[in-house]
Amino acid sequence: MTDEATRETAEDARGWRAATEAALYGPGGFYRRPEGPARHFRTSVHASRLFAEAVAELLCRVDEALGRPGTLDFVDMGAGRGELVTGVLAALPADVAPRVRAYAVELADRPPGLPDRITWLTELPRTVTGLLFANEWLDNVPVEVAEVDAAGVSRLVQVRRDGGELLGRAVSGAEAEWLARWWPLGGEPGLRAEIGLPRDQAWATAVTSLQRGLAVAVDYAHTVAARPPFGTLTGFREGRGTAPVPDGSCDITAHVALDACAALDPALRLPEALLCTQRDALRALGLIGARPPLTLASTHPTAYVRALSIAGEAAELTAPGGLGDFGWLLQPVGIENPLL
């Protein structure tokens, strides 16, 4: 490659955070497409209505912890096409549903046919009393990627629109401090990390929008004791994993350092956050997934088939090695944690 070609390649590249922001949320970006993300990947929301029912149960527990206020907020962060908020409203008991003020927060346009009672926003409401639920939101908050070079220096990775990468400047400042605390890379060339600082900040903003209630983040996650040595940045298109190319053709995602998100500013004086698996969280909300007794097959075959289907859906939501391993981060504000 000539010096001129090398210079043009470098000028065409930018950090993964800016590239992902444009590819996902810019004009014509992946998340602004009319078909929505459900065409490209399947979340717990799409796997079963049982997930929305469990979130509705959690909202009811928050309602009780708040003393059954006249208005109970439910905020669906990264709402996609409103599947979760719609399912939660449908699952609420009659004594709770009329008091719920529902918000869907999403950069894409409001989908047609969404119930009028759901307020569609592109940013958080200013004050929330109730439950803020962020299902697979933080993994799509764009972050920088760092890689250790041949000299053992951690550098920011630059990426072109076609997905080609090169190493940029050395990681410094707050980003270097975050790496040192939450994802120490060492000096072996090729090791990589996603710098989760923007996600920590996004989560802190979400939590501080709560006057009282509970904030929950659900996502692919890892902790400092077991960070993946080469990072987790990847893409999804048409239901399959693919190379993360920031041209708007695919989703770009990376697992979340939820333990870093949980470490909010002590000056906020919030109750301790809870980190657990989706399996444990859903079981605590009553989603057990036990197979129905075989005797039901002979006495009430239709009920048996229905119960067997429900058990299968619950098993998928709580499965080890699958959706059950998702991380749940629960941060109460002004109340006790209603999951305990």
Side-chain angles (χ1 to χ4, degrees):
M1 183 179 290
T2 65
D3 290 344
E4 182 178 353
T6 301
R7 185 166 55 253
E8 289 177 353
T9 298
E11 289 175 353
D12 182 45
R14 51 184 169 172
W16 266 109
R17 184 180 181 188
T20 302
E21 184 76 33
L24 297 184
Y25 307 114
F30 178 83
Y31 275 97
R32 293 186 181 274
R33 292 183 173 189
E35 75 269 17
R39 173 179 167 182
H40 299 275
F41 53 85
R42 189 165 179 257
T43 71
S44 298
V45 178
H46 308 119
S48 171
R49 62 179 175 79
L50 297 177
F51 188 78
E53 291 175 1
V55 176
E57 167 64 20
L58 183 58
L59 179 58
C60 290
R61 295 190 188 186
V62 171
D63 183 40
E64 289 294 333
L66 290 169
R68 298 176 59 84
T71 299
L72 176 67
D73 294 324
F74 177 68
V75 181
D76 181 7
M77 285 296 302
R81 295 301 178 265
E83 298 95 336
L84 178 60
V85 64
T86 302
V88 168
L89 289 176
L92 289 172
D95 63 325
V96 176
R99 294 184 287 111
V100 171
R101 182 168 55 187
Y103 297 97
V105 182
E106 178 60 67
L107 290 176
D109 293 336
R110 182 188 182 99
L114 196 72
D116 291 340
R117 65 172 300 189
I118 299 172
T119 301
W120 193 265
L121 301 173
T122 57
E123 58 185 21
L124 277 163
R126 291 187 177 181
T127 57
V128 176
T129 299
L131 174 62
L132 183 149
F133 201 89
N135 184 59
E136 296 195 45
W137 169 57
L138 287 173
D139 69 296
N140 286 127
V141 173
V143 293
E144 298 290 6
V145 177
E147 181 176 322
V148 180
D149 69 9
V153 177
S154 296
R155 296 187 176 277
L156 294 179
V157 178
Q158 306 287 297
V159 61
R160 299 191 306 269
R161 183 175 168 81
D162 65 3
E165 293 182 338
L166 63 152
L167 296 185
R169 65 170 176 81
V171 181
S172 61
E175 292 173 330
E177 294 174 4
W178 190 94
L179 276 183
R181 180 180 180 186
W182 294 110
W183 199 328
L185 279 174
E188 182 180 342
L191 294 178
R192 287 169 67 114
E194 292 98 34
I195 304 174
L197 190 60
R199 293 168 173 177
D200 299 353
Q201 294 165 341
W203 179 244
T205 299
V207 169
T208 53
S209 73
L210 277 173
Q211 288 186 317
R212 292 178 68 221
L214 181 70
V216 181
V218 180
D219 238 309
Y220 298 98
H222 45 62
T223 61
V224 70
R227 303 285 190 221
F230 302 105
T232 62
L233 189 73
T234 190
F236 282 95
R237 183 190 298 117
E238 302 289 346
R240 297 182 179 180
T242 186
V245 178
D247 60 359
S249 67
C250 67
D251 185 27
I252 298 173
T253 180
H255 295 197
V256 182
L258 279 181
D259 51 348
C261 294
L264 294 169
D265 185 349
L268 295 174
R269 298 183 179 180
L270 295 174
E272 184 176 357
L274 172 67
L275 274 171
C276 65
T277 65
Q278 174 157 299
R279 180 167 50 258
D280 290 339
L282 292 182
R283 286 175 176 172
L285 291 168
L287 189 63
I288 305 301
R291 291 175 60 91
L294 285 174
T295 54
L296 188 64
S298 57
T299 58
H300 298 285
T302 302
Y304 176 78
V305 171
R306 184 166 57 249
L308 195 63
S309 175
I310 291 172
E313 292 177 14
E316 181 182 4
L317 290 173
T318 58
L323 295 175
D325 288 347
F326 270 53
W328 279 48
L329 168 57
L330 301 99
Q331 179 61 69
V333 177
I335 62 171
E336 295 295 321
N337 195 325
L339 195 66
L340 298 178

